Amino acid sequence: DGGITQSPKYLFRKEGQNVTLSCEQNLNHDAMYWYRQDPGQGLRLIYYSQIVNDFQKGDIAEGYSVSREKKESFPLTVTSAQKNPTAFYLCASSPDRNTEAFFGQGTRLTVV
Amino acid sequence: QKEVEQDPGPLSVPEGAIVSLNCTYSNSAFQYFMWYRQYSRKGPELLMYTYSSGNKEDGRFTAQVDKSSKYISLFIRDSQPSDSATYLCAMGTGFQKLVFGTGTRLLVSP
């Protein structure tokens, strides 16, 4: 069953702790993306990767880090430097940079 | 001014109505236009994608792009309660850096 899997669905962390969100896809897609969704705002791009071992900052990369060591995996680390980490995080993938993206089901991160 | 403007709603309609959802944008360089549907606490699902001005139809859904007015629309015919969701428009000069609208919440009552 092909798709994009984000885990966990809900995540709670204490302020000041780093946390890593998982995103795995078995669609053989080259491009992967991380977005953040907040109430009343459109999705905002955090990082994207067009190929293994390469990634670029999006519009709101500060306080986040990513890695792309395998084609199928694109984990996102929310660091303690991110001022407002509580949000709904969405991972997406596409066959290549010139094709529309498909989304995972999201991870809701709450920092207390 | 936001690059993409979308009325947040909610938009409430009775079952069977024709629904019109709209977005305006300011960047005339945008070439790719998409509509996503998002159910509560779920990831967005791609509904329609268009590249040029004009209409594109898929079942009960019609996407319309007017580049001269910088205005895009999504029409839903014979709306169903299962269409109740938030509809996001997205657009850009390329797929890797899309700009999303805030989403319009649609409620279809039986």
Side-chain angles (χ1 to χ4, degrees), chain A residues 9-10 33 35 37 40-43 45 48 59 88 90 97-105, chain B residues 2 32 34 36 38 41-46 49 88 94-103:
Chain A
K9 191 172 181 179
Y10 298 97
Y33 310 82
Y35 287 89
Q37 187 174 33
Q41 296 197 48
L43 274 67
L45 182 65
Y48 66 100
D59 300 317
F88 190 46
L90 288 158
R97 56 180 284 179
N98 297 317
T99 316
E100 63 273 24
F102 298 89
F103 285 85
Q105 293 303 295
Chain B
K2 290 182 180 179
Y32 301 91
M34 273 145 278
Y36 286 87
Q38 186 175 25
R41 298 188 182 89
K42 301 289 186 183
E45 169 195 8
L46 181 65
Y49 147 58
L88 310 173
F95 287 103
Q96 65 269 36
K97 290 193 101 177
L98 295 175
V99 181
F100 283 79
T102 54

Side-chain angles (χ1 to χ4, degrees), chain B residues 12-54:
Chain B
S12 296
V13 301
E15 183 175 357
I18 296 175
V19 174
S20 173
L21 302 164
N22 311 295
C23 288
T24 59
Y25 62 96
S26 57
N27 190 339
S28 58
F30 286 161
Q31 300 178 65
Y32 301 91
F33 304 91
M34 273 145 278
W35 285 96
Y36 286 87
R37 177 175 63 195
Q38 186 175 25
Y39 292 111
S40 182
R41 298 188 182 89
K42 301 289 186 183
E45 169 195 8
L46 181 65
L47 280 177
M48 302 281 288
Y49 147 58
T50 58
Y51 176 75
S52 58
S53 283

Side-chain angles (χ1 to χ4, degrees), chain A residues 8-27:
Chain A
K9 191 172 181 179
Y10 298 97
L11 191 55
F12 295 87
R13 278 295 182 269
K14 289 185 178 179
E15 194 172 334
Q17 290 182 335
N18 291 356
V19 60
T20 297
L21 281 59
S22 171
C23 178
E24 304 276 332
Q25 53 97 0
N26 60 4
L27 302 167

Side-chain angles (χ1 to χ4, degrees), chain B residues 47-48 56-63 75 77:
Chain B
L47 280 177
M48 302 281 288
K56 182 177 181 179
E57 190 173 317
D58 184 3
R60 294 187 296 114
F61 299 93
T62 299
F75 298 96
R77 291 182 298 280

Side-chain angles (χ1 to χ4, degrees), chain B residues 55-95:
Chain B
N55 293 357
K56 182 177 181 179
E57 190 173 317
D58 184 3
R60 294 187 296 114
F61 299 93
T62 299
Q64 187 175 81
V65 174
D66 182 348
K67 286 187 177 180
S68 62
S69 301
K70 299 191 185 68
Y71 189 88
I72 70 170
S73 299
L74 177 70
F75 298 96
I76 307 174
R77 291 182 298 280
D78 188 25
S79 57
Q80 303 295 311
S82 59
D83 293 327
S84 297
T86 297
Y87 289 80
L88 310 173
C89 63
M91 55 196 78
T93 56
F95 287 103

